């Protein structure tokens, strides 16, 4: 897997990351969502550099201009509900992308420190020979990303796969590196060193879904 950790080079991205981590600033859910969206835009811009382009001719009011434009057929898939702001940021840059949505959540049985990933809702166009961008803001254990990709397989074999995350744990990065093919790309804003006993990223930022949309009732 090709891993693109954008935190290895300083940029304005640092500001957005610092604000989504800051427990005072993240109380403003609208700002939290907007920062996740802006991070998605930065990740989408960097990702676009690895896509395929073709020469095109544009006619202006005063003449003709030659420029290379993307030719990839993109399907953007996000994991609900935390993935929605990240999805919006990516969609801001990939205007013509088709869209897929999937729900994946941790189901704790008897032991609160162990869980399985449950996939329920799924809406997806054909993925056959297309560019799949799979977005999940928090790459903790990596199990949600792998379970989602497995659930998408009946929709066709994509030509290429790009994973996009905001914050990951090194354990999750290692897990998806082994689970996905060598040609897969991971685009991530920053990587933390560890998970706690419950599988949450440390220092992380908390629950991205709750911070973006409010606390949920547990069933």
């Amino acid at each position: 897997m090709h891993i693109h950790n954008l935190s290895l080079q300083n940029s304005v991205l640092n500001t957005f990351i610092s604000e989504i981590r800051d427990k005072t600033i993240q109380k403003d859910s609208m700002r939290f969502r907007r920062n996740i969206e802006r991070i998605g835009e930065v990740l989408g811009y960097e990702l676009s550099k690895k896509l395929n382009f073709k020469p095109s001719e544009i006619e202006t009011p005063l003449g003709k201009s030659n420029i290379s434009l993307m030719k990839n057929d993109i399907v953007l898939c996000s994991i609900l509900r935390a993935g929605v702001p990240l999805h919006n940021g990516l969609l801001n840059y990939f205007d013509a992308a088709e869209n897929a949505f999937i729900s994946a959540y941790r189901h704790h049985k008897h032991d609160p420190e162990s869980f399985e990933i449950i996939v329920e809702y799924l809406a997806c166009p054909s993925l056959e020979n297309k560019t799949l961008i799979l977005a999940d803001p928090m790459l903790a254990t990596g199990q949600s990303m792998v379970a989602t990709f497995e659930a998408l397989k009946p929709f066709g074999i994509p030509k290429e796969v790009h994973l996009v995350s905001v914050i990951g744990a090194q354990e999750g990065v290692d897990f998806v590196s082994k689970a996905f093919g060598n040609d897969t790309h991971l685009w991530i804003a920053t990587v933390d060193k560890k998970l706690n006993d419950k599988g949450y990223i440390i220092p992380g930022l908390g629950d991205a879904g709750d911070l973006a949309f409010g606390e949920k009732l547990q069933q």
Side-chain angles (χ1 to χ4, degrees):
M1 174 181 282
H2 305 278
I3 300 172
H4 309 271
N5 180 356
L6 272 60
S7 69
L8 298 180
Q9 184 175 0
N10 288 328
S11 74
V12 70
L13 187 64
N14 293 5
T15 300
F16 309 148
I17 292 294
S18 70
E19 290 190 0
I20 63 171
R21 288 190 192 267
D22 190 304
K23 64 181 183 180
T24 300
I25 297 175
Q26 65 181 204
K27 291 178 182 178
D28 183 345
S29 59
M30 183 173 68
R31 188 171 185 83
F32 183 85
R33 291 193 302 271
R34 180 61 183 123
N35 276 326
I36 294 290
E37 184 176 340
R38 292 197 289 183
I39 292 168
E41 291 173 349
V42 174
L43 291 166
Y45 169 75
E46 294 296 332
L47 186 161
S48 72
K49 298 175 183 179
K50 293 294 183 181
L51 299 181
N52 299 315
F53 289 75
K54 63 180 179 181
S56 299
E57 186 177 78
I58 306 299
E59 189 166 347
T60 80
L62 300 177
K64 295 182 179 180
S65 175
N66 296 315
I67 190 169
S68 293
L69 297 176
M70 284 186 296
K71 65 177 184 179
N72 297 66
D73 292 323
I74 295 174
V75 177
L76 173 56
C77 179
S78 294
I79 300 176
L80 300 174
R81 62 181 171 149
V84 172
L86 182 59
H87 186 107
N88 289 338
L90 291 164
L91 194 58
N92 287 345
Y93 277 31
F94 301 116
D95 303 2
E98 295 179 278
N99 296 272
F101 298 93
I102 187 168
S103 69
Y105 65 93
R106 296 181 179 189
H107 175 62
H108 298 269
K109 295 182 179 179
H110 305 293
D111 183 358
E113 296 185 3
S114 65
F115 58 87
E116 61 179 338
I117 302 298
I118 303 295
V119 174
E120 290 183 340
Y121 174 81
L122 173 57
C124 185
S126 171
L127 298 175
E128 192 66 33
N129 209 34
K130 296 178 181 178
T131 298
L132 172 63
I133 300 176
L134 182 54
D136 188 5
M138 306 300 287
L139 181 59
T141 65
Q143 294 182 40
S144 294
M145 195 79 82
V146 172
T148 297
F149 186 68
E150 289 296 320
L152 293 173
K153 285 186 175 180
F155 294 88
I157 301 174
K159 179 187 295 185
E160 55 186 294
V161 178
H162 296 266
L163 311 179
V164 176
S165 286
V166 175
I167 297 177
Q170 188 60 53
E171 180 178 325
V173 172
D174 294 341
F175 185 80
V176 297
S177 295
K178 295 176 182 177
F180 286 86
N182 293 333
D183 293 335
T184 302
H185 291 260
L186 170 63
W187 303 88
I188 192 163
T190 190
V191 179
D192 291 346
K193 292 183 178 180
K194 63 180 181 178
L195 300 171
N196 65 12
D197 293 339
K198 295 183 178 180
Y200 291 99
I201 302 170
I202 303 297
L205 53 76
D207 189 302
D210 286 358
L211 290 167
F213 301 110
E215 293 186 6
K216 56 188 175 293
L217 294 176
Q218 299 289 345
Q219 296 183 348

